[in-house]
Amino acid sequence: MTDNYMNNAPVLKKPEAMVFDMDGTLFQTETLLLPAYHKLFDTLRAEGLYEGETPPEELILNSLGMLLDEIWRRVMPEASEAAHRRADELLLQLELEGLKNGSHALYPHVKETLQALHEQGVRLFVASNGLEDYVKGIAAAYEMVPIFEGLYSAGEYSTLSKVNLLEILLSKHDISNVWMVGDRSSDVEAGKKNGQTVIGCAYAGFGVNDELEGSDAIITDFTQLLTLYKNAE
């Protein structure tokens, strides 16, 4: 987003809470995912569950934000159901191991910006299509658990889409006005189908050009959330 865009950004309604996607929004997923991705296929080949070269990294990166079932159908459509389920297990195991060794990163200024919003009284949540231990593991690795009121994942709530996950969150916490902040069309859909404001994040570079179509505002730097919140009515 250019400074000019920020100056001409729509005036938004101040939210009671902000709900954040994790991958591609708070967390630089590729820093953890890609090493795990290659190890995963090495293991599948060794176990006789997959043959051939590892699929291109772009396939998994462009699938971020989807549920795991959808991801594997795109990444290895010819593989067996057993291979897909084993991939579920391996990906979580390898990513949790990666979280412990420190080879990963948040996007710039994420933690400071979240802390500033928290101090201003904004209720903060995560809603991710990822697995429960993965989502909670990232928050714990960066000591962010205390600033979030809830960490919601498709893995924990067995939701079929982020629309359902956000609906559960809103109902459980009796919230009627949130900003859904995310980088994928699933985040836009979740926000809009629940009647909420959507802030699209355009800095991750995943997905296609119209990924954030329908967002109420788009940011290219996480700190711009503070400006949007300050200017909101």
Side-chain angles (χ1 to χ4, degrees):
M1 184 188 297
T2 64
D3 289 338
N4 185 56
Y5 185 97
M6 283 295 291
N7 291 337
N8 293 302
V11 177
L12 305 172
K13 183 179 178 182
K14 250 190 177 55
E16 300 170 63
M18 294 189 195
V19 180
F20 297 90
D21 171 50
M22 181 64 84
D23 291 327
T25 300
L26 303 181
F27 186 61
Q28 292 190 49
T29 316
E30 68 277 15
T31 61
L32 179 66
L33 173 63
L34 294 181
Y37 181 71
H38 289 284
K39 289 178 184 176
L40 181 154
F41 277 95
D42 288 343
T43 303
L44 289 180
R45 280 188 288 265
E47 294 178 354
L49 289 168
Y50 188 83
E51 295 181 356
E53 297 296 314
T54 298
E57 293 176 348
E58 290 72 21
L59 275 176
I60 187 85
L61 291 175
N62 290 335
S63 301
L64 292 174
M66 296 179 178
L67 298 170
L68 278 178
D69 279 351
E70 298 173 291
I71 289 175
W72 300 132
R73 284 199 295 271
R74 286 189 62 177
V75 171
M76 44 176 170
E78 304 304 320
S80 66
E81 183 68 17
H84 289 181
R85 298 293 69 79
R86 179 64 174 139
D88 289 347
E89 297 171 359
L90 286 169
L91 186 61
L92 178 60
Q93 173 192 325
L94 292 166
E95 287 185 324
L96 291 179
E97 288 173 4
L99 282 173
K100 291 178 183 176
N101 70 31
S103 57
H104 46 80
L106 297 172
Y107 285 101
H109 312 299
V110 160
K111 191 170 180 181
E112 308 94 290
T113 301
L114 291 175
Q115 188 63 48
L117 290 167
H118 179 64
E119 290 170 0
Q120 291 178 62
V122 183
R123 300 167 70 184
L124 305 178
F125 298 85
V126 166
S128 167
N129 274 338
L131 296 172
E132 178 183 4
D133 289 347
Y134 170 75
V135 172
K136 292 181 177 177
I138 293 170
Y142 289 96
E143 300 179 338
M144 297 191 299
V145 174
I147 64 176
F148 287 113
E149 193 171 329
L151 298 165
Y152 284 71
S153 63
E156 181 174 4
Y157 288 89
S158 300
T159 46
L160 297 176
S161 75
K162 192 167 285 187
V163 175
N164 306 129
L165 191 62
L166 183 58
E167 183 181 15
I168 291 169
L169 188 159
L170 295 172
S171 175
K172 191 170 181 179
H173 295 273
D174 194 26
I175 302 171
S176 59
N177 172 28
V178 306
W179 288 2
M180 179 69 224
V181 184
D183 70 307
R184 303 307 302 265
S185 58
S186 56
D187 300 306
V188 179
E189 179 189 35
K192 288 303 168 186
K193 288 194 174 178
N194 281 287
Q196 304 301 323
T197 297
V198 175
I199 310 299
C201 300
Y203 44 78
F206 304 138
V208 292
N209 292 334
D210 61 352
E211 192 81 34
L212 297 174
E213 186 176 342
S215 300
D216 295 285
I218 294 177
I219 60 174
T220 56
D221 182 295
F222 198 74
T223 58
Q224 292 169 346
L225 264 180
L226 292 171
T227 304
L228 287 176
Y229 182 73
K230 178 183 176 182
N231 293 337
E233 295 181 341

